[in-house]
């Protein structure tokens, strides 16, 4: 006998009620909530760069606002092909904040892989390094 099909609303209800895996808290808001509570607390250290929660939240919000001004909307795909550095984290948190879908891609992918990924996910915006423009 086939398994009965469960609609998305019912699936969400079961996740919230059963395992405790899902909460109403969203990743795109956690940094901003922490920034409101403790804006001067250090959040990230990458090399010589040190940012507080407040500084990081302000920078991520500026990136999100720029994406919205340029037509990126909730549910759109935001492709991020950057090494593990501050810019990658900012782009990803900004995408989460505005409700976009973060599509992280490892920087080693070249033209062949990127062509397939871009065709498949149809990103509204791509964050990458200048060196990767030809990809």
């Amino acid at each position: 006998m086939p398994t009965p099909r469960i609609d998305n609303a019912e699936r969400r209800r079961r996740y919230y009620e059963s395992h405790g895996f899902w909460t109403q808290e969203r990743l795109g808001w956690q940094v901003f909530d922490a920034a409101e509570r403790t804006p001067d607390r250090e959040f990230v250290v990458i090399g010589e760069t040190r940012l507080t929660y407040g500084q990081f939240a302000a920078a991520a919000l500026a990136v999100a606002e720029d994406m919205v001004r340029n037509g990126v909307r909730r549910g759109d795909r935001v492709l991020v092909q950057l090494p593990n550095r501050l810019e990658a984290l900012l782009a990803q948190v900004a995408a989460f904040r505005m409700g976009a879908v973060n599509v992280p891609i490892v920087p080693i992918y070249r033209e062949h892989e990127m062509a397939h990924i871009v065709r498949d996910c149809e990103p509204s915006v791509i964050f990458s390094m200048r060196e990767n423009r030809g990809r």
Side-chain angles (χ1 to χ4, degrees):
M1 178 178 347
T3 305
R5 189 159 171 86
I6 300 172
D7 68 15
N8 286 335
E10 176 64 15
R11 182 175 292 113
R12 276 198 265 343
R13 185 191 66 74
R14 288 183 183 185
Y15 273 113
Y16 283 120
E17 290 178 359
S18 62
H19 309 290
F21 295 139
W22 283 23
T23 67
Q24 292 297 325
E25 188 173 44
R26 296 293 178 254
L27 184 58
W29 291 88
Q30 288 179 341
V31 170
F32 299 92
D33 291 344
E36 283 184 18
R37 290 190 308 273
T38 56
D40 298 324
R41 184 174 178 196
E42 193 167 72
F43 171 64
V44 66
V45 177
I46 299 177
E48 298 298 314
T49 303
R50 303 175 90 83
L51 294 178
T52 65
Y53 276 93
Q55 291 168 325
F56 183 85
L61 188 58
V63 173
E65 289 172 344
D66 189 57
M67 283 194 282
V68 169
R69 259 193 312 279
N70 285 287
V72 181
R73 301 288 176 251
R74 178 180 173 86
D76 285 355
R77 271 91 43 220
V78 175
L79 192 148
V80 179
Q81 188 190 28
L82 293 167
N84 291 332
R85 52 196 238 186
L86 183 58
E87 293 84 356
L89 186 58
L90 281 167
Q92 292 170 343
V93 170
F96 290 141
R97 172 64 187 232
M98 59 181 291
V101 177
N102 175 42
V103 182
I105 305 297
V106 293
I108 62 171
Y109 282 179
R110 300 294 186 252
E111 291 83 0
H112 175 75
E113 294 91 354
M114 290 307 297
H116 173 74
I117 292 167
V118 169
R119 269 194 315 272
D120 187 52
C121 80
E122 298 178 339
S124 295
V125 65
I126 297 173
F127 287 88
S128 190
M129 299 178 300
R130 179 173 283 125
E131 298 84 13
N132 292 352
R133 280 193 180 165
R135 298 182 194 169

